[in-house]
Amino acid sequence: MGTPNGQKVTIMLEELLALGHQGAEYDAHLIRIGEGDQFGSGFVDANPNSKIPALVDTTNDTKVFESGSILVYLADKFGELLPTNPSERASVMNWLFWLHGSAPYLGGGFGHFYAYAPEKFEYPINRFSMEVKRQMDVLDKRLAQSPYLGGEQYSIADIATWPWYGNLVLGNLYEAKTFLDVDSYVHLKRWAETLAQRPAVQRGRIVNKVWGDESEQLAERHNAADIDAVLKS
Ligand SMILES: N[C@@H](CCC(=O)N[C@@H](CS)C(=O)NCC(=O)O)C(=O)O
């Protein structure tokens, strides 16, 4: 499903295809988490934790779950978007792990209580708003120093982070732009807008998305033409 965690993987695959890796050609099957598809035996076989995304590499029968693990697997397999130099690799890994520790406060914390909870509970909304603003400040300060999270080069750290904090500051997540004063994080906003211009981001972000604007919806992707048809319409 094309939630931020799902978008990480489809953006990564589209980046690999854009770099010329035909081996990154993929089938994106829709798992409707609202209808419980993630608990079916077929999906559980790929991810025992019953959460999207999950990847099955049919060339070697490797099953990969946890979106961060999928990004590292694909980066290693194709030798792209994750430096091999230990120092540069550590910088990318720092931000990749930062994202996977931080985003649950944005999604499961702020997003849940601000947008989805049946009642507006003031305490958790305040608590998680403060934390998300703190996190945006951390990203903003980092992106004041370098164009990308890992440093000078676009990497899987950016691919992991854009679907959450990029979508948030661009107004694609929770309609909280004004509430969180996202425009004050100018370096984060510049980064989010720059990444949004990348063709692979524009392609990957619509895959397995079945809500929102119709011009941004694609239930399943089985070849490049599936995305082309939506983006041309
Ligand atoms: N840490 C996991 C989180 C995955 C996750 O939370 N997936 C959500 C959608 S964004 C899900 O499948 N939820 C369904 C459920 O909890 O039943 C990852 O990064 O892959």
Side-chain angles (χ1 to χ4, degrees):
M1 198 155 168
T3 67
N5 287 323
Q7 286 178 322
K8 294 173 191 172
V9 178
T10 48
I11 290 171
M12 176 68 175
L13 288 162
E14 292 296 330
E15 292 285 6
L16 292 168
L17 288 168
L19 286 164
H21 294 285
Q22 297 302 320
E25 186 51 44
Y26 65 103
D27 290 293
H29 302 278
L30 176 62
I31 301 296
R32 293 181 189 267
I33 58 174
E35 295 173 22
D37 293 351
Q38 70 274 32
F39 301 111
S41 56
F43 188 83
V44 173
D45 188 42
N47 182 0
N49 195 38
S50 291
K51 289 187 189 286
I52 67 96
L55 176 98
V56 179
D57 183 343
T58 55
T59 66
N60 55 12
D61 197 28
T62 300
K63 292 163 185 156
V64 196
F65 63 91
E66 283 295 321
S67 56
S69 179
I70 295 172
L71 292 178
V72 172
Y73 177 78
L74 291 171
D76 283 344
K77 180 176 169 106
F78 293 100
E80 301 280 5
L81 298 161
L82 176 58
T84 49
N85 167 289
S87 172
E88 292 172 9
R89 187 179 172 102
S91 184
V92 170
M93 287 299 201
N94 287 345
W95 287 102
L96 184 69
F97 276 73
W98 178 89
L99 179 278
H100 287 93
S102 301
Y105 291 99
L106 171 54
F110 176 76
H112 176 78
F113 286 104
Y114 183 81
Y116 303 124
E119 284 179 53
K120 298 290 176 212
F121 297 107
E122 191 178 347
Y123 180 83
I125 291 175
N126 289 344
R127 164 83 178 85
F128 290 117
S129 300
M130 291 302 291
E131 172 60 9
V132 168
K133 286 174 74 68
R134 190 195 67 78
Q135 294 175 353
M136 286 195 292
D137 188 56
V138 171
L139 289 171
D140 197 56
K141 289 195 166 94
R142 170 57 179 167
L143 292 165
Q145 299 170 331
S146 63
Y148 300 106
L149 287 170
E152 295 303 310
Q153 303 298 325
Y154 179 65
S155 74
I156 57 172
D158 302 291
I159 293 173
T161 306
W162 186 88
W164 284 109
Y165 297 89
N167 273 328
L168 182 69
V169 300
L170 296 175
N172 300 330
L173 203 58
Y174 311 136
E175 295 183 11
K177 272 177 74 172
T178 308
F179 183 74
L180 294 173
D181 190 21
V182 298
D183 288 345
S184 62
Y185 305 94
V186 293
H187 305 287
L188 175 57
K189 188 122 183 271
R190 180 259 309 152
W191 168 88
E193 287 169 347
T194 303
L195 267 62
Q197 298 302 315
R198 296 181 69 86
V201 172
Q202 292 171 3
R203 295 175 71 79
R205 66 183 285 274
I206 67 170
V207 175
N208 298 145
K209 194 157 172 283
V210 287
W211 65 92
D213 194 307
E214 261 187 35
S215 66
E216 298 183 349
Q217 287 192 30
L218 177 62
E220 300 227 338
R221 184 266 190 219
H222 298 288
N223 60 56
D226 293 335
I227 298 181
D228 296 342
V230 176
L231 295 182
K232 275 187 200 133
S233 64

